[in-house]
Amino acid sequence: MEIQKVGVIGAGQMGNGIAHVMALAGYDVLLTDISQQALDAALSTVRGNLARQAGRGKISEADMEAAMARISTTLALADLGQTDLVIEAATEREAVKQAIFEDLQPHLLPHTILTSNTSSISITRLASRTDRPERFMGFHFMNPVPVMQLVELIRGIATDEATFAACKAVVDKLGKTAASAEDFPAFIVNRILMPMINEAVYTLYEGVGNVRSIDESMKLGANHPMGPLELADFIGLDTCLAIMNVLHDGLADTKYRPCPLLTKYVEAGWLGRKTQRGFYDYRGEVPVPTR
């Protein structure tokens, strides 16, 4: 099946990045959100990011304008029923994702493929609540979407080969690399990454090091481009906590227990860059450690 029109649910950081790369690759994109303000902000972000690419000579001005022309927006979720591929990129809460697919289902074309950009939730379980588990899979982009080269493709227990092949063809057309992952909690990247971040928070919690020393140690001692606490702020501490809870609940192993300090930051509303405070305070000109 050839995919031509792509629906993206959620106009946040991931959703606008997905719309960006899809439109640039030649797909018609219909982006939806519950807020017109979020849709307007997403279009502004996409234009800014495309302009940055044009400024660096990676794309032409004509490419930028053509990509923007391929993106349309709607507040009506039902409108996405007329697309060939739907990528859900809403908040990392299973109940929210299930409600979205339930509301969308009556409006879908028979051939429409449903996917979720979830970073940790069971694809099999999400698929089982729809009328097309064989045409449902995980389509997990890395953040920031226009920059990161990897896409995890996750089959649910019922996902058929034609669905996988169609999604793999999309990844290839985007110029990205697909990694096939099995449907276990947090898949590949976050199964490995999140416990490392959680352990960094425990290292802070137990006083082994402060924010700066932990991040500098991993950047200079392990050649990581970002320290784990800096990375957690970039991802969002609420997302990190949600993934750790999925790992802990799904695998029932105490090694995945979220650090109490991570929970405390989330309860305080200090979620990282998006709220201007996390393990660093971003309200000044230079980020300052909060511990």
Side-chain angles (χ1 to χ4, degrees), residues 100-147:
I100 287 169
F101 288 124
E102 191 174 306
D103 290 347
L104 180 60
Q105 188 170 295
H107 309 285
L108 294 172
L109 295 170
H111 70 265
T112 302
I113 293 173
L114 293 179
T115 69
S116 176
N117 183 57
T118 179
S119 50
S120 63
I121 297 167
S122 168
I123 298 303
T124 296
R125 201 160 58 234
L126 288 173
S128 72
R129 302 289 291 269
T130 74
D131 66 344
R132 59 194 68 208
E134 71 286 351
R135 287 194 297 282
F136 192 111
M137 68 181 301
F139 208 127
H140 181 216
F141 289 86
M142 305 296 121
N143 185 30
V145 180
V147 175

Side-chain angles (χ1 to χ4, degrees), residues 214-270:
I214 290 166
D215 277 353
E216 287 299 313
S217 293
M218 293 308 292
K219 284 195 283 188
L220 301 179
N223 205 27
H224 290 189
M226 295 172 76
L229 301 175
E230 183 187 4
L231 179 58
D233 275 357
F234 180 75
I235 293 167
L237 303 192
D238 52 339
T239 300
C240 294
L241 179 60
I243 295 170
M244 286 310 301
N245 280 324
V246 166
L247 280 165
H248 191 231
D249 295 345
L251 298 171
D253 191 323
T254 55
K255 73 181 181 181
Y256 299 116
R257 183 172 71 98
C259 180
L261 184 61
L262 178 60
T263 302
K264 184 179 287 187
Y265 269 76
V266 173
E267 287 174 347
W270 291 19

Side-chain angles (χ1 to χ4, degrees), residues 179-222:
S180 180
E182 292 302 312
D183 185 24
F184 287 96
F187 320 130
I188 296 172
V189 173
N190 284 315
R191 171 75 176 264
I192 297 166
L193 175 64
M194 285 303 159
M196 185 198 76
I197 287 175
N198 194 52
E199 195 62 30
V201 183
Y202 266 116
T203 305
L204 178 65
Y205 177 62
E206 294 168 4
V208 180
N210 59 32
V211 169
R212 200 176 294 284
S213 66
I214 290 166
D215 277 353
E216 287 299 313
S217 293
M218 293 308 292
K219 284 195 283 188
L220 301 179

Side-chain angles (χ1 to χ4, degrees), residues 161-183:
E161 192 56 40
T163 297
F164 179 85
C167 290
K168 170 70 164 57
V170 172
V171 176
D172 292 344
K173 190 172 176 181
L174 296 178
K176 295 187 183 294
T177 299
S180 180
E182 292 302 312
D183 185 24

